[in-house]
């Protein structure tokens, strides 16, 4: 069983449509794939409609959170997408991405970059708009050679010259909301320090005590030492350990299934979830 529990589509900042994503996941030999777009479940219906037989879809989202001034991402799986409290918070965060992206465009204009909101909006399409879309506009304009090169202090990295904050959820509140909607929480790439500051282990311990289910350990942004340390921490705290690609199509370098999750951990996630069931593929549209 090959299980990849963290992927993005055009419903946020990935480049595969949800239908393309599930087809590519099957072609990559995956048995289980999770669709975890930033702050939205909008891609789920299309992914389910296109789901090839032999592939199971885990519905989810990656929730933007912040604690002590440090941004972090919380993967949420198999929650009820209609549950009102989580739905309201998810939409608040997703909708606030629009004025925030406009604020980044304004900062770029002040820095002399002739980027227009219409350009970013075209690149984002229907997806919840994020920094990778702004970064793609900078690539189009020849300001930076790749999307990754826009994530520096000169441009869009946390605290960078053109960075703007968005509304983000307190992670304790996120855990409470996801549990209230029958879902399971996994702290995404908790030690990805290339992206900016990360939360200390003491906070991970507090999140664990508050009901966090697991941490993502095998991820492209963690080196071997970091993975070892996180595995030890998970053992001490009784947290599940996941691995996943964080696939974004052509907007990032990682491949589907580049990192995977142990089938026993996946089984435990499905046992704990009560908000939704994994969807077995029936052939697709
Ligand atoms: P946002 O949610 O709009 O703040 O954008 C954060 C997203 O940008 C992350 O989820 C990643 O997909 C992407 N990202 C963050 N850091 C980098 C980086 N160094 N290179 C490429 N993409 C990045
Ligand atoms: Zn992303
Ligand atoms: Fe993330
Ligand atoms: Fe992600």
């Amino acid at each position: 069983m090959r299980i990849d529990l963290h992927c993005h589509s055009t419903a946020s900042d990935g480049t595969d449509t949800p239908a393309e994503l599930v087809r590519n996941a099957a072609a990559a030999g995956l048995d289980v794939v999770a669709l975890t777009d930033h702050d939205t479940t909008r891609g789920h219906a299309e992914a389910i409609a296109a789901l090839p037989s032999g592939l199971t879809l885990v519905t989810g989202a990656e929730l933007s959170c912040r604690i002590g001034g440090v941004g972090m991402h919380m993967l949420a799986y198999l929650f009820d997408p209609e549950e009102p409290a989580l739905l309201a918070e998810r939409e608040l965060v997703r909708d606030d991405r629009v004025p925030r992206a406009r604020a980044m465009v304004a900062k770029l204009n002040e820095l002399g970059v002739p980027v227009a909101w219409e350009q970013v909006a075209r690149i984002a399409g229907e997806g919840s708009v994020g920094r990778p879309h702004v970064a793609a506009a900078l690539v189009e304009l020849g300001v930076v050679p790749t999307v990754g090169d826009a994530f520096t202090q000169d441009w869009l990295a946390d605290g960078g010259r053109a960075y703007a904050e968005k509304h983000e959820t307190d992670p304790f509140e996120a855990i409470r909301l996801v549990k209230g909607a029958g879902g399971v929480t996994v702290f995404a790439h908790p030690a990805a320090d290339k992206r900016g500051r990360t939360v200390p282990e003491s906070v991970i311990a507090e999140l664990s005590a508050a009901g966090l289910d697991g941490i993502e350990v095998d991820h492209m942004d963690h080196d071997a030492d970091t993975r070892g340390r996180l595995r030890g921490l998970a053992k001490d705290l009784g947290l599940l350990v996941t691995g996943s690609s964080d696939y974004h199509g052509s907007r990032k370098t990682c491949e589907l299934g580049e990192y995977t999750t142990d089938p026993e951990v996946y089984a435990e996630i499905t046992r704990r979830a009560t908000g939704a069931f994994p969807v077995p593929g029936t052939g697709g549209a």
Side-chain angles (χ1 to χ4, degrees):
M1 280 254 279
R2 296 187 68 227
I3 301 157
D4 188 342
L5 290 182
H6 183 169
C7 297
H8 298 267
S9 75
T10 52
S12 63
D13 54 10
T15 58
D16 289 4
T17 64
E20 288 166 348
L21 174 72
V22 292
R23 287 188 205 117
N24 287 337
L30 290 173
D31 301 284
V32 178
V33 69
L35 180 57
T36 54
D37 277 304
H38 297 286
D39 307 308
T40 188
T41 58
R42 279 196 188 173
H44 291 177
E46 184 185 318
I48 290 167
L51 199 62
S53 55
L55 180 65
T56 294
L57 180 73
V58 171
T59 52
E62 186 176 16
L63 308 176
S64 303
C65 296
R66 180 169 295 264
I67 182 163
V70 179
M72 56 167 282
H73 291 170
M74 187 71 81
L75 291 161
Y77 298 116
L78 300 172
F79 54 85
D80 173 2
E82 306 291 336
E83 192 282 321
L86 177 59
L87 175 65
E89 179 66 14
R90 203 163 62 240
E91 294 199 327
L92 184 68
V93 177
R94 191 196 62 216
D95 293 348
D96 195 52
R97 286 172 163 277
V98 174
R100 180 264 199 150
R102 284 177 170 273
M104 290 193 286
V105 167
K107 287 187 178 191
L108 287 164
N109 291 160
E110 276 170 29
L111 291 167
V113 178
V115 62
W117 163 247
E118 288 69 26
Q119 185 186 1
V120 175
R122 169 180 54 76
I123 293 167
E126 299 274 287
S128 55
V129 61
R131 279 182 282 172
H133 300 121
V134 181
L138 295 182
V139 173
E140 282 186 1
L141 291 165
V143 175
V144 289
T146 71
V147 164
D149 290 305
F151 284 86
T152 63
Q153 287 301 314
D154 277 346
W155 305 112
L156 300 173
D158 287 10
R161 293 188 302 169
Y163 173 74
E165 287 191 0
K166 61 183 179 297
H167 174 76
E168 291 170 322
T169 309
D170 176 278
F172 291 93
E173 175 72 355
I175 289 169
R176 196 183 66 75
L177 287 168
V178 173
K179 280 197 179 296
V184 172
T185 50
V186 172
F187 187 166
H189 45 75
D193 51 14
K194 272 175 284 180
R195 295 169 181 234
R197 286 168 61 207
T198 58
V199 306
E201 288 190 3
S202 59
V203 170
I204 299 180
E206 288 170 25
L207 292 168
S208 176
L212 178 71
D213 291 287
I215 56 176
E216 191 179 52
V217 171
D218 293 312
H219 183 283
M220 67 182 300
D221 290 351
H222 295 155
D223 63 21
D225 285 353
T226 302
R227 289 177 205 182
R229 175 174 70 76
L230 289 173
R231 241 178 259 288
L233 181 68
K235 196 162 183 233
D236 290 347
L237 296 174
L239 289 166
L240 302 173
V241 164
T242 69
S244 38
S245 65
D246 203 354
Y247 176 74
H248 280 70
S250 62
R251 220 162 259 146
K252 264 190 181 174
T253 53
C254 53
E255 300 298 330
L256 279 162
E258 193 167 316
Y259 300 101
T260 56
T261 294
D262 189 288
E264 284 177 23
V265 171
Y266 168 62
E268 180 60 22
I269 289 171
T270 62
R271 269 195 294 275
R272 291 185 191 184
T274 57
F277 296 103
V279 183
T282 53

